[in-house]
């Protein structure tokens, strides 16, 4: 399976390569339910003094997958787990809104591809919500409640691509 990822050509400060990938962490933007781009999040994170966007991928409302940090680098999205994880931000505030069906399908397809690359099975141990790792509401109740559905779809895509 080959998922289409829109290249963003963002410029970063210093980044380090990740030597292990055993976890995929799902996030949401939170607080605002609008279609935010990887470039906009990149600017927010640079304004915080970071090297750039902390997530590796951003999934827009229409299902478009945008590149954040290069896939092989250490992210800045889940303190204590960045050195072994990939961060995916599904844009929206899923405490209030629901993810779109396009976002759900794109997330499942992206997770399936990443699971193939890193030899993972999309389970509750390998594909987690940010809140599974620390005290936060992220990725929002409405997205968190369908993570098992997304994992199941990812397994289907792995087996049928």
């Amino acid at each position: 399976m080959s998922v289409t990822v829109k290249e963003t050509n963002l410029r970063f400060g210093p980044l380090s390569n990740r030597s292990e990938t055993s976890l995929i962490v799902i996030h949401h933007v939170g607080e605002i339910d609008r279609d935010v781009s990887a470039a906009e999040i990149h600017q927010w994170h640079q304004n915080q003094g970071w090297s750039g966007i902390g997530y590796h991928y951003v999934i827009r409302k229409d299902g478009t997958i945008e590149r954040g940090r290069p896939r092989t680098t250490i992210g800045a999205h889940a303190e204590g787990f960045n050195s072994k994880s990939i961060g995916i931000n599904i844009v929206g505030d899923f405490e209030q809104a629901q993810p779109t069906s396009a976002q759900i399908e794109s997330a499942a397809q992206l997770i399936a591809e990443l699971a193939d690359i890193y030899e993972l099975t999309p389970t509750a141990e390998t594909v987690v919500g940010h809140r599974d790792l620390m005290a936060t509401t992220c990725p929002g109740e409405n997205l968190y409640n369908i993570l098992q559905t997304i994992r199941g779809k990812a397994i289907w895509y792995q087996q049928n691509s």
Side-chain angles (χ1 to χ4, degrees):
M1 153 171 266
S2 182
V3 175
T4 301
V5 176
K6 182 179 176 187
E7 294 300 337
T8 53
N9 301 310
L10 301 171
R11 296 189 185 276
F12 290 86
L15 297 174
S16 299
N17 285 330
R18 196 176 56 256
S19 60
E20 172 192 356
T21 305
S22 56
L23 202 54
I24 298 170
V25 184
I26 307 299
H27 301 267
H28 73 154
V29 171
E31 297 180 14
I32 54 170
D33 187 50
R34 66 178 174 82
D35 196 29
V36 179
S37 69
E40 190 170 357
I41 297 170
H42 185 65
Q43 189 62 57
W44 295 343
H45 288 184
Q46 285 184 321
N47 291 346
Q48 297 286 326
W50 298 2
S51 294
I53 187 170
Y55 312 104
H56 297 91
Y57 299 94
V58 172
I59 302 178
R60 306 284 300 267
K61 296 267 188 190
D62 68 357
T64 299
I65 302 168
E66 294 181 342
R67 172 99 48 222
R69 282 196 182 203
R71 177 176 54 80
T72 57
T73 64
I74 296 174
H77 59 89
E79 190 174 357
F81 298 89
N82 291 318
S83 65
K84 64 177 187 178
S85 67
I86 288 191
I88 300 173
N89 188 301
I90 302 174
V91 302
D93 178 358
F94 301 122
E95 284 294 309
Q96 314 297 324
Q98 297 288 335
T100 66
S101 57
Q103 285 177 308
I104 292 166
E105 291 306 315
S106 290
Q109 291 170 7
L110 177 59
I111 290 165
E113 183 167 285
L114 293 169
D116 280 347
I117 291 168
Y118 294 107
E119 299 178 1
L120 303 172
T121 300
T123 66
E125 288 74 43
T126 59
V127 179
V128 300
H130 188 193
R131 70 159 78 173
D132 291 320
L133 305 176
M134 59 196 57
T136 176
T137 60
C138 182
E141 194 72 17
N142 296 327
L143 177 54
Y144 188 79
N145 287 340
I146 61 168
L147 280 183
Q148 188 54 40
T149 299
I150 293 171
R151 290 183 201 106
K153 286 176 174 282
I155 289 169
W156 186 89
Y157 283 118
Q158 269 190 306
Q159 294 172 346
N160 292 282
S161 61

